[in-house]
Amino acid sequence: MIRAAIMGATGYAGGELIRILLGHPEVEITALASRQFAGRSIDNAFPSFRGLLKITCETPDPKVIATKADVVFTAVPHGTAMEAVPVLLEEGKKVIDISADFRLKNRAVYEEWYIPHTAPHLLEEAVYGLPELYRETIASANLIANPGCYPTAVILGAAPLVRHGWVKGDALIADAKSGTSGAGRSSKQSFSFCEVNEALRAYSVPRHRHLPEMEQVLADIAGGKFSVTFVPHLIPIDRGILATLYIDLVRPTSSDELLEVYHRSYQNEPFVRVLPPDCLSDVAMVRGSNFCDISLCVDQPSNRAIVLSAIDNLVKGAAGSAVQNMNIQFGLPERSGLESVPLFP
Amino acid sequence: MIRAAIMGATGYAGGELIRILLGHPEVEITALASRQFAGRSIDNAFPSFRGLLKITCETPDPKVIATKADVVFTAVPHGTAMEAVPVLLEEGKKVIDISADFRLKNRAVYEEWYIPHTAPHLLEEAVYGLPELYRETIASANLIANPGCYPTAVILGAAPLVRHGWVKGDALIADAKSGTSGAGRSSKQSFSFCEVNEALRAYSVPRHRHLPEMEQVLADIAGGKFSVTFVPHLIPIDRGILATLYIDLVRPTSSDELLEVYHRSYQNEPFVRVLPPDCLSDVAMVRGSNFCDISLCVDQPSNRAIVLSAIDNLVKGAAGSAVQNMNIQFGLPERSGLESVPLFP
Amino acid sequence: MIRAAIMGATGYAGGELIRILLGHPEVEITALASRQFAGRSIDNAFPSFRGLLKITCETPDPKVIATKADVVFTAVPHGTAMEAVPVLLEEGKKVIDISADFRLKNRAVYEEWYIPHTAPHLLEEAVYGLPELYRETIASANLIANPGCYPTAVILGAAPLVRHGWVKGDALIADAKSGTSGAGRSSKQSFSFCEVNEALRAYSVPRHRHLPEMEQVLADIAGGKFSVTFVPHLIPIDRGILATLYIDLVRPTSSDELLEVYHRSYQNEPFVRVLPPDCLSDVAMVRGSNFCDISLCVDQPSNRAIVLSAIDNLVKGAAGSAVQNMNIQFGLPERSGLESVPLFP
Amino acid sequence: MIRAAIMGATGYAGGELIRILLGHPEVEITALASRQFAGRSIDNAFPSFRGLLKITCETPDPKVIATKADVVFTAVPHGTAMEAVPVLLEEGKKVIDISADFRLKNRAVYEEWYIPHTAPHLLEEAVYGLPELYRETIASANLIANPGCYPTAVILGAAPLVRHGWVKGDALIADAKSGTSGAGRSSKQSFSFCEVNEALRAYSVPRHRHLPEMEQVLADIAGGKFSVTFVPHLIPIDRGILATLYIDLVRPTSSDELLEVYHRSYQNEPFVRVLPPDCLSDVAMVRGSNFCDISLCVDQPSNRAIVLSAIDNLVKGAAGSAVQNMNIQFGLPERSGLESVPLFP
């Protein structure tokens, strides 16, 4: 059994890691760290786990955590991760970081969008944990930078076109809609029930922190520069991201041709489902699962591809992809622990 | 024009007072106080008011507020109200207090459920602002203790039976369900969107602070003691309280007899609607309005009345009844400013 | 008093017309027609109106309706409207049609997107009822084609740029999100609660029926052709449309310049609010009101305007703009009956 | 492998059975029947299952279905089940009926609340499938009458007190709140999104069809008569029932004593969790799982137990308990296929 620890166990991504790992046949959860719930049973943070897991949360101390685990998931805020991760690596642990701290290769870009980086030497070593693009390097990585939720939806939706060089102007528009769990387990007034329910608004326009991450990865695929106009919106649902991509095509293309490219690109991927023409992606159909559902068509008058990419932001957008990365790192079947069927309704 | 000020203008009850008073033909809003938004336009707290009201929030100082208004609504937390109200009364202002500070007649009971009282001399003077019961005394009162949202729904639902002496054992069960705005404009994690949405739970069982208030008023009507078993539940909607009352009857009674009693009790009330037998109260049908919708029947096997009482907790349960009280105090038509039609859907 | 009748009174747009007209100082509702509720009180369709309006719904017969009203609102499905409207006009009534039947000037275009047209002779006479663009012609029109909800949000969001010739390529992308009342008072399984709640999906991609309507009006403003890529999404809220527009600009432009254009364009409009730079449009802030809230910025790297346009689809997107049109037709103050303050939360 | 078929596969209970059985290590789904989707892939009814299950729905014919399965789940409307079940039993199949057709022992009572019964000879043979009460008889039953969702929550919440003879007057009040999936996969207007969202209402007061079922089972436990006052409410959430029970006690009892009784009653039950005193049942904490969470206290002034019982109506209230019953019938570990962790948020 692989011994797994979670730092930041009582946020939504942490809770989702617990939920998934409880069903993983090769993993045992051996330690949970949480500043807020230190000294208290995990049941206090998540009554849903009552009777399923008997662990008391401990104060986050990476040295101590390292003694108890083979792999550590850091589901902590950016800034906090860059403190803990170097210690965990020094202790010889595999680390899967769910924060943003190791996603950007360029320190200056990181510091422009976030804060000064205290572990910049690890930026190069870290592997961007999107298995559909980087499976081989993930297999041998010690430090995985788990992708952001929006970048996951956008990149998986765009990658086949970008890779084939079908994108006019090396640019796209991503209009993304996210459920509220994407904001974390928050106590901000602006995420309180009555401020989100029956509301509908964009935020962080036009510069959201996930933008440089998308552009970096799409540029890597394109083999050059790539730019994105990105507008995220907050939706009154718990889980799910739907990214609607508008991509100008280099030459006249039919919806069928496009669909064929996507089918070929993802035919061996266990968690990407390319939908038939009469079926549009819906976050309700991936809830609780590690699937990314992609549907698409060409708007003929503008010769523009419209791609709809749906994920559960807490699973494929966070904890699920983290476990998928762990499976790859440890040589396990990639689907292990990730076979749960979407919960609908 | 009556000059009205609101202390606590940027909470939900304060915002609702603004909304209602903006449509009141005899009232001008002259001052808004808010600790959190002092120095900033009310638009910052409620973008919905943009273009409708040009007022900068000021630091709450009852002496200053008193110079600007004929009537002051105190929509502040309990404890804060008891500091401001005596000052406002000394300055000769009418005060309508939406907090709990002046609702309980008995200081000891208040202090058992809340905190030490610093203005106990006003407890007797304060008039409980439920017009359906106390219209005459409201008319001449300087200090109105505006009823709590749950007590409003429960008392209006039970009063006809209690007054007629039809209640067995001078007791009832009130199973109440409330929308989340009843918790105030909160930044507590437990009221954040993902903790409330798709959830359903009771709270403060079996002793919620609105219990002694209900029991006091029902005892007053009964002319003796009256006890309530009260269980409030949190529902993932913005607005609305539905109170389901279970009341054992002193003698076999038909649903028609019961309905007749309610029709007679409320026939002259502008804001209580007794529904026909085939129509059950729904909070969606009173949203945004000052109505209390009551439906009922008798469960024959148990000879128990089932009464369903629905209000909008921010209107009839707070700001609307406050304006109704103001209308009575100032001799205005009781419906003034309160004619807005329920918003459905 | 103007006597107003509503055909299709028991759908959501019909109910919203009733709600608004009940508060209109110059209008009396004299007749309500509904196939489904003929012979029954309007309370049966909308318990919210209990006590406010005593009208029995009648079978829809335009000849009969015409005898009872000065103005008739036809809030019926497309196809049904084109049968009733010619009769009402022959009887000398003003007609405000909320269906799609008279919005498209070109019969062939209408028939491509809808069904064969049985009253094509009225297409030219009908005036597109968007006051911000066509106020003068509305004033003298007998037949108003009330705009669709999506076109209202998109056209108001784009018009200032289109009119100024700042739009590159005479084209834009409109990513729109709508509350579920936009689908009408439906009994389709796909709009049942559990299929919409916690879900998020696009529909009618890439050809929704509101597309030719937008293109027609924007072309009219542009003085040439104009094309739109339009993707509507269904959101689990009752009311509200947020349209996110992506508009390539002809020359480098700052957000401030853009804002200045919008402020000037809409400075005299009673129902369009251009928001300050730090405030983004939110449907929650226009709920129940006739406002259209517009916020915007320029995405510098792409020199693309991002415009966010929010309306209540049942008010500014249907019943509210219909009443605004009626006010113009009858020479009343444009705000009459439309002063209700947004309901938040 | 046990071969399982589902009749009524495309409703919510049918879909939930598929979801659960896909994760069951000892079961293979071999046939799905659906009138509405006959001839089409199950993906059409539930896009969530894409890639997980390749089965075409067939016309419901119990003779044909019987040839393909060892156990048949009938998740069809009442009335339909009583036609299919006798055929399936004649073919020697185990049947788990999720409809109401075989729950009531007394034919006259069934016919009073439902319709004439065409297979009354099976009423005695059918075993009420609540494992916590009838595990032994379930083990040897050929026909399981799977309990209704409300009765499951109410009976599990009340059983320990009823069995111990602590209930005064052999009666209780059950105020129940249900998510909307309890109404089935409906196309009724009253269950459309805008009619349920932001609404809150009771229904079927005071005589809901689940009432005689509760009374029958509680009477069986009590060893005499038992009566229930039952008021169900519709809540705008997808899944979950919270039943709030008010139970008068025969003698003064403390909350601790009560808790002790429940702990003892359920200590060996794999799916009933009795919560500690500081934790109240919440449907969000059982979502997607087979748990029933029970919390309780005594209201001292009235000496009345308040019991809060929460289940996922589609799992413990339908498909989950059906699988639990199948496990018992086939001698499998009771938890097989039912270990999925609650999904929160």
Side-chain angles (χ1 to χ4, degrees), chain A residues 12 16 19 22 44 46-52 181 185 197-198 238-239 273-276 278-279 285 287-288 291 314 341-345, chain D residues 12 16 19 22 44 46-52 181 185 197-198 238-239 273-276 278-279 285 287-288 291 314 341-345:
Chain A
Y12 290 142
E16 196 67 0
R19 183 181 74 85
L22 280 173
N44 283 277
F46 295 109
S48 50
F49 295 146
R50 183 169 305 281
L52 300 173
S181 64
R185 201 169 193 181
N197 186 44
E198 294 297 296
D238 283 341
R239 290 168 176 249
R273 302 192 291 194
V274 179
L275 306 185
D278 58 337
C279 186
M285 298 304 158
R287 184 164 50 231
F291 289 119
L314 292 180
V341 178
L343 188 79
F344 171 80
Chain D
Y12 290 143
E16 196 66 0
R19 184 182 74 84
L22 280 172
N44 284 276
F46 295 109
S48 50
F49 295 146
R50 184 170 304 281
L52 300 174
S181 63
R185 201 168 194 182
N197 187 43
E198 295 297 293
D238 283 342
R239 289 168 177 250
R273 302 191 292 194
V274 179
L275 305 184
D278 57 338
C279 186
M285 297 305 158
R287 183 163 52 229
F291 289 119
L314 292 180
V341 179
L343 189 79
F344 171 80

Side-chain angles (χ1 to χ4, degrees), chain B residues 195-216:
Chain B
E195 307 281 324
V196 172
N197 186 44
E198 295 297 293
L200 183 48
R201 57 177 178 270
Y203 64 99
S204 300
V205 180
R207 284 171 58 86
H208 182 283
R209 280 170 166 173
H210 282 175
L211 175 58
E213 183 183 336
M214 293 174 198
E215 292 187 332
Q216 167 186 288

Side-chain angles (χ1 to χ4, degrees), chain A:
Chain A
M1 295 290 272
I2 298 165
R3 297 172 309 147
I6 302 167
M7 300 185 71
T10 59
Y12 290 142
E16 196 67 0
L17 277 165
I18 296 172
R19 183 181 74 85
I20 294 170
L21 294 175
L22 280 173
H24 196 298
E26 310 285 343
V27 174
E28 181 189 13
I29 301 174
T30 51
L32 300 174
S34 163
R35 212 171 296 274
Q36 195 189 343
F37 285 86
R40 298 165 65 193
S41 162
I42 188 66
D43 292 358
N44 283 277
F46 295 109
S48 50
F49 295 146
R50 183 169 305 281
L52 300 173
L53 178 69
K54 282 220 168 320
I55 295 190
T56 299
C57 296
E58 58 192 274
T59 302
D61 179 336
K63 278 241 167 204
V64 175
I65 293 290
T67 64
K68 305 184 175 177
D70 305 309
V71 59
V72 180
F73 296 89
T74 47
V76 294
H78 70 87
T80 304
M82 63 170 88
E83 304 297 333
V85 166
V87 180
L88 295 164
L89 290 174
E90 275 158 34
E91 302 293 323
K93 302 303 160 184
K94 301 269 188 191
V95 177
I96 299 170
D97 178 33
I98 297 183
S99 88
D101 279 354
F102 299 96
R103 293 178 193 156
L104 296 175
K105 288 297 166 199
N106 186 319
R107 175 185 183 167
V109 174
Y110 179 89
E111 297 189 341
E112 179 194 342
W113 291 80
Y114 293 90
I115 53 174
H117 207 298
T118 60
H121 60 289
L122 294 173
L123 290 177
E124 188 155 350
E125 179 187 339
V127 172
Y128 191 77
L130 196 61
E132 291 78 5
L133 295 181
Y134 303 112
R135 187 169 277 115
E136 282 70 29
T137 41
I138 290 167
S140 57
N142 288 318
L143 172 55
I144 303 287
N146 215 60
C149 49
Y150 283 124
T152 297
V154 170
I155 295 166
L156 290 177
L161 287 179
V162 176
R163 186 184 294 122
H164 281 68
W166 286 17
V167 181
K168 190 169 157 189
D170 295 314
L172 62 80
I173 293 172
D175 186 292
K177 298 96 182 158
S178 175
T180 307
S181 64
R185 201 169 193 181
S186 172
S187 57
K188 280 200 205 154
Q189 194 187 86
S190 56
F191 295 112
S192 71
F193 182 81
C194 293
E195 307 281 323
V196 173
N197 186 44
E198 294 297 296
L200 184 47
R201 57 178 178 269
Y203 63 99
S204 300
V205 181
R207 284 170 58 85
H208 182 282
R209 280 169 167 173
H210 282 174
L211 176 57
E213 183 182 336
M214 293 174 198
E215 292 188 333
Q216 167 186 289
V217 178
L218 291 171
D220 185 43
I221 308 173
K225 284 197 62 170
F226 202 94
S227 63
V228 176
T229 298
F230 173 53
V231 179
H233 301 75
L234 185 69
I235 305 292
I237 60 174
D238 283 341
R239 290 168 176 249
I241 284 178
L242 182 69
T244 309
L245 309 182
Y246 301 91
I247 308 177
D248 290 337
L249 298 169
V250 288
R251 57 172 182 74
T253 309
S254 71
S255 293
D256 285 351
E257 283 178 272
L258 214 63
L259 197 59
E260 170 62 18
V261 169
Y262 277 74
H263 272 301
R264 244 183 304 121
S265 293
Y266 290 126
Q267 62 190 346
N268 296 318
E269 284 303 331
F271 297 114
V272 180
R273 302 192 291 194
V274 179
L275 306 185
D278 58 337
C279 186
L280 295 177
S281 309
D282 185 341
V283 299
M285 298 304 158
V286 300
R287 184 164 50 231
S289 83
N290 202 44
F291 289 119
C292 175
D293 275 8
I294 296 175
S295 58
L296 48 77
C297 69
V298 176
D299 178 49
Q300 292 303 338
S302 62
N303 197 40
R304 183 174 284 147
I306 299 169
V307 182
L308 297 153
S309 175
I311 59 170
D312 181 323
N313 57 299
L314 292 180
V315 188
K316 187 61 179 168
S321 68
V323 171
Q324 189 179 356
N325 283 321
M326 182 201 71
N327 288 340
I328 297 171
Q329 280 180 310
F330 284 83
L332 303 173
E334 207 164 317
R335 281 188 182 87
S336 283
L338 294 169
E339 311 212 52
S340 73
V341 178
L343 188 79
F344 171 80

